[in-house]
Amino acid sequence: MARSIWTGVITFGLASLPVGLYTAIEDHTVHFHQLQRGTADRIRNRRVNERSGKEVPSENIVKGYELAEGEYIVVEPDELDQIAPGRSQTIDITDFVDLADIEPVYFNRTYYIAPRGKEYTKVYELLRAALEESDKAGIATFVMRGKQYLTALRAEERLLVLQTLHWADEVRDPGKELPELPSRRAGKGKELTLAIQLVDALSAPWEPGRYHDTYEEKVRELVQAKAEGQEIAVAEEAPQATNVIDLMSVLQGSLDQARETGQKKSAEPRKTRKKEAAARKPAAKAAKKPAAHKAPPKTARTTSKTRKRSAGKGELRQLSKAELYQRATDQGIEGRSKMSREQLVDALTHAGRRRKKSAA
């Protein structure tokens, strides 16, 4: 079980909640040591006086702020300690803001927050539910490891999450910093229409488990291949930039490819289900028994219709959410990107019924 890296109290209004802070991210980067080429000798970094070339012990090193070239203001470590903020005991929420108003560029690191004891779970869930229902974030500052942080407290499905934020003066103005930006927005031409259709065709539910750090995987494969004396695979060349003249044909080709890929993905589970159904038929016929009595015609028709409907819904429930979303895309169901898996099933079922009525 993970250990908390900070403990304290969240306050909002007159309410207080003892909590622990836990890291949410685990680093899987492949780390290397520095070696001298041709040897197994490690390379160490040392603090050296650039004028004399001699190594300087840490107790003789001070911080210097450069006022002008070669002119420094020296600051001793104890002077910094005197003005450093003490460790925070509280995360005091001063404001609640709309979560959507916080631009993504401000978010930095993510931490999980948990109550410090079962007796505090009610207050914890109350704050979490209030933030979730209102779609707000609690803004607060606190100090950890000698540094002050601006934070946003927000709600996930079952827990509270603390996001450290960049301060306003740390965020660069893109209009001033970037060399080239579009001078105007795209209009309603054919290119924009095709681009929107391509985005729609490639849309899928957010499933983070589908994505992997392929570079780290290749680094591990490289290390393994070198250890086993195998040949190293050559990386593919980066694609060339699209020529503006060819933009329409590139967009149309991309759209056709995306639709073809989506149709293949939808067809694969259908083929599998047909094979499974064909394999079950002989066994079902062998196990079938004659009915004890015949139901009235009206009841029989009603039961048959119900079975057809439930079978269609049951078939849809066997699909993954990505497959359901692709079908909804093919059928042009509006609002599909915000639907849950069950809502997609219902929407596709209703769409199927409407098509049957239209055909009749």
Side-chain angles (χ1 to χ4, degrees):
M1 185 176 293
R3 294 180 60 183
S4 60
I5 61 170
W6 180 93
T7 56
V9 177
I10 293 176
T11 62
F12 54 106
L14 299 177
S16 60
L17 170 63
V19 297
L21 198 67
Y22 299 81
T23 55
I25 307 300
E26 187 175 13
D27 183 19
H28 287 158
T29 303
V30 178
H31 296 281
F32 293 94
H33 293 299
Q34 291 183 323
L35 306 175
Q36 183 175 349
R37 188 184 298 278
T39 73
D41 300 338
R42 291 276 302 274
I43 302 299
R44 303 288 183 180
N45 293 321
R46 293 179 178 176
R47 297 177 178 181
V48 176
N49 184 314
E50 66 176 14
R51 179 181 55 79
S52 66
K54 295 180 180 180
E55 188 175 353
V56 180
S58 58
E59 61 269 19
N60 290 338
I61 297 176
V62 295
K63 295 180 182 293
Y65 182 84
E66 189 171 22
L67 292 177
E69 188 175 354
E71 183 181 348
Y72 293 92
I73 295 294
V74 175
V75 179
E76 298 288 344
D78 59 345
E79 292 176 323
L80 288 173
D81 292 339
Q82 290 173 8
I83 64 169
R87 176 188 177 277
S88 286
Q89 299 294 323
T90 61
I91 297 175
D92 187 14
I93 298 175
T94 56
D95 304 285
F96 289 98
V97 304
D98 288 338
L99 184 58
D101 287 348
I102 305 176
E103 296 176 33
V105 69
Y106 282 91
F107 289 111
N108 190 5
R109 292 185 64 86
T110 305
Y111 297 91
Y112 295 144
I113 288 182
R116 286 188 300 160
K118 290 185 178 179
E119 63 270 33
Y120 306 120
T121 54
K122 184 175 181 179
V123 180
Y124 179 93
E125 173 56 22
L126 184 67
L127 176 58
R128 190 209 66 79
L131 290 174
E132 183 180 47
E133 290 294 324
S134 61
D135 205 17
K136 300 275 187 181
I139 304 300
T141 59
F142 86 115
V143 176
M144 180 175 64
R145 297 171 179 170
K147 185 177 179 180
Q148 188 176 40
Y149 293 92
L150 177 66
T151 65
L153 188 72
R154 61 180 181 82
E156 289 285 354
E157 186 176 351
R158 295 183 59 193
L159 75 155
L160 289 169
V161 171
L162 186 81
Q163 301 262 187
T164 59
L165 304 174
H166 294 291
W167 301 96
D169 58 1
E170 294 178 327
V171 178
R172 293 179 171 182
D173 182 352
K176 296 178 180 178
E177 301 292 339
L178 304 186
E180 295 293 340
L181 286 174
S183 57
R184 59 185 179 85
R185 298 189 66 177
K188 296 183 179 180
K190 293 181 179 179
E191 292 174 351
L192 179 59
T193 301
L194 277 176
I196 293 172
Q197 289 176 354
L198 177 58
V199 170
D200 196 40
L202 293 173
S203 295
W206 167 237
E207 296 175 0
R210 293 172 52 198
Y211 309 97
H212 304 278
D213 187 342
T214 56
Y215 174 71
E216 289 299 326
E217 291 174 356
K218 288 179 179 179
V219 171
R220 295 181 191 279
E221 290 172 3
L222 168 65
V223 172
Q224 186 67 27
K226 288 180 72 70
E228 297 175 358
Q230 297 177 1
E231 187 178 346
I232 301 169
V234 180
E236 297 178 2
E237 293 184 6
Q240 294 183 349
T242 301
N243 192 318
V244 178
I245 299 173
D246 303 326
L247 188 56
M248 281 292 291
S249 59
V250 169
L251 287 171
Q252 186 61 58
S254 302
L255 182 59
D256 294 340
Q257 184 182 56
R259 286 173 173 169
E260 184 179 349
T261 304
Q263 288 170 359
K264 286 181 180 179
K265 287 181 179 179
S266 299
E268 285 174 4
R270 285 201 298 270
K271 289 179 181 178
T272 304
R273 286 193 300 276
K274 284 181 179 179
K275 289 181 180 178
E276 291 174 353
R280 287 196 298 266
K281 277 183 180 180
K285 286 180 179 179
K288 191 174 181 182
K289 295 180 180 179
H293 63 278
K294 189 175 181 180
K298 187 175 181 180
T299 307
R301 284 198 299 272
T302 306
T303 306
S304 175
K305 189 181 290 185
T306 305
R307 282 177 181 168
K308 285 181 181 178
R309 286 179 182 175
S310 60
K313 205 165 191 178
E315 179 186 344
L316 290 170
R317 284 200 175 105
Q318 293 177 18
L319 301 177
S320 68
K321 190 174 180 182
E323 292 165 346
L324 291 169
Y325 187 88
Q326 185 58 52
R327 286 197 179 190
T329 301
D330 294 341
Q331 296 181 26
I333 294 176
E334 296 181 357
R336 56 189 174 276
S337 61
K338 297 181 179 179
M339 291 184 184
S340 65
R341 190 175 183 281
E342 192 59 32
Q343 287 172 332
L344 285 168
V345 170
D346 290 339
L348 287 166
T349 303
H350 293 320
R353 289 174 186 169
R354 286 197 297 270
R355 285 198 305 275
K356 286 179 182 178
K357 287 181 180 178
S358 300

